[in-house]
Every structure is written in structure tokens, then in C-alpha cells.
């Protein structure tokens, strides 16, 4: 879940890269404690993994239409926002796309997925990829 970087001044290792993005950085659903599984790092994009993803998407700004971040937690299809329970203006379009995708996955593999806004569906998580891609890169179809 976390990188293997040494945290100065702590015996605990790593940063949760999916809490190291700019949108909502440092808010609820992340931790400033290096020993926590949701340790966000000291500043947004402090990690080479998050800064590399930021730079990759920014290099193709305006051309990227969909961004999907993969995790191995459960069968969930999640959209922005993670850091607030407010729904984005384009949420009806996001929900429509998730509904179609989940329908196709279930029809193909029989796997049931839960889907919806991250903060409402699972929990508040600040500094996550989906929110950064949506807010800072204009990618409406940004999912985890």
C-alpha cells in the first residue's frame, strides 16, 4: 500500500501514493503520521511515483479522456470526489459511465461491483488520483 521510502525522523517506512496528489491534499482521509497506512507525505507530489503520474498526464493535457487508477481492495468502481461528499457537476455522466462499465464487467465475468462517488460509497480519502485528474487536468472520466 505504501512506497518503501525512508521517512526522515521516523522508523516507519513509506508514503501512500494515492494520498499524495494535490486535490484535497492533507485533508480528512489521509494522515500526517508516517506510521499510518494513509500517510500522505509532507507535501503533495513529494513522491517520485505521484510526480511521474502528474507529469505524464500533464504532458498530454487536453488529450486524455479517461484515467483509471487500480487498487486491490475490493470490487469497486469509484469516481471523484474522495475528499468531500459533495458531488461534482458532471457526476450524472460519471455515474452513467460507471453503470455501463459495471454492467459489462458483471455480464462478462459475473463479478458484482459497487460503484459511485468515493467519499459516499466507501470513505473520505483526500489527495487521491481521481480527484487530481478531475480537478486539475479536466478529466471527467477519472476512476479508481
Amino acid at each position: 500500500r505504501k512506497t518503501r521510502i525512508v521517512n526522515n525522523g521516523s522508523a516507519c517506512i513509506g508514503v501512500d501514493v494515492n494520498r499524495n496528489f494535490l486535490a484535497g491534499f492533507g485533508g480528512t482521509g489521509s494522515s500526517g503520521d508516517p506510521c499510518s497506512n494513509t500517510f500522505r507525505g509532507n507535501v503533495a507530489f513529494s513522491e517520485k511515483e505521484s510526480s511521474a503520474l502528474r507529469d505524464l498526464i500533464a504532458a498530454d493535457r487536453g488529450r486524455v479522456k479517461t484515467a483509471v487508477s487500480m487498487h486491490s481492495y475490493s470490487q469497486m468502481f469509484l469516481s471523484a470526489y474522495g475528499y468531500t461528499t459533495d458531488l461534482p457537476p458532471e457526476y450524472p455522466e460519471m455515474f452513467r459511465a460507471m453503470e455501463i462499465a459495471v454492467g459489462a464487467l458483471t455480464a462478462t465475468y459475473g463479478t458484482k461491483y459497487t460503484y459511485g462517488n468515493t467519499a459516499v460509497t466507501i470513505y473520505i480519502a483526500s489527495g487521491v488520483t481521481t480527484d487530481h485528474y478531475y480537478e486539475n487536468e479536466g478529466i471527467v472520466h477519472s476512476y479508481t
Side-chain angles (χ1 to χ4, degrees), residues 51-135:
S51 61
L53 286 170
R54 175 202 57 206
D55 296 347
L56 177 72
I57 297 295
D60 286 325
R61 186 168 286 135
R63 295 183 3 187
V64 178
K65 303 302 178 198
T66 303
V68 178
S69 298
M70 303 299 287
H71 289 265
S72 60
Y73 172 71
S74 184
Q75 286 72 40
M76 296 185 170
F77 208 107
L78 305 169
S79 71
Y81 294 118
Y83 70 91
T84 178
T85 56
D86 293 343
L87 297 177
E90 291 91 354
Y91 187 71
E93 170 59 18
M94 296 170 179
F95 188 85
R96 184 188 73 78
M98 288 185 288
E99 194 169 44
I100 292 168
V102 165
L105 287 165
T106 301
T108 303
Y109 302 106
T111 308
K112 305 276 192 229
Y113 282 77
T114 301
Y115 57 99
N117 163 280
T118 301
V120 173
T121 304
I122 184 170
Y123 50 65
I124 294 197
S126 59
V128 299
T129 57
T130 51
D131 293 352
H132 171 72
Y133 296 151
Y134 174 71
E135 283 194 350

Side-chain angles (χ1 to χ4, degrees), residues 13-74:
I13 303 293
V15 170
D16 179 351
V17 175
N18 198 40
R19 300 292 191 279
N20 192 240
F21 286 77
L22 187 60
F25 180 81
T28 303
S30 71
S31 176
D33 176 2
C35 296
S36 170
N37 280 338
T38 60
F39 177 54
R40 63 184 167 252
N42 294 320
V43 296
F45 302 115
S46 62
E47 304 312 297
K48 56 187 167 186
E49 296 88 350
S50 58
S51 61
L53 286 170
R54 175 202 57 206
D55 296 347
L56 177 72
I57 297 295
D60 286 325
R61 186 168 286 135
R63 295 183 3 187
V64 178
K65 303 302 178 198
T66 303
V68 178
S69 298
M70 303 299 287
H71 289 265
S72 60
Y73 172 71
S74 184

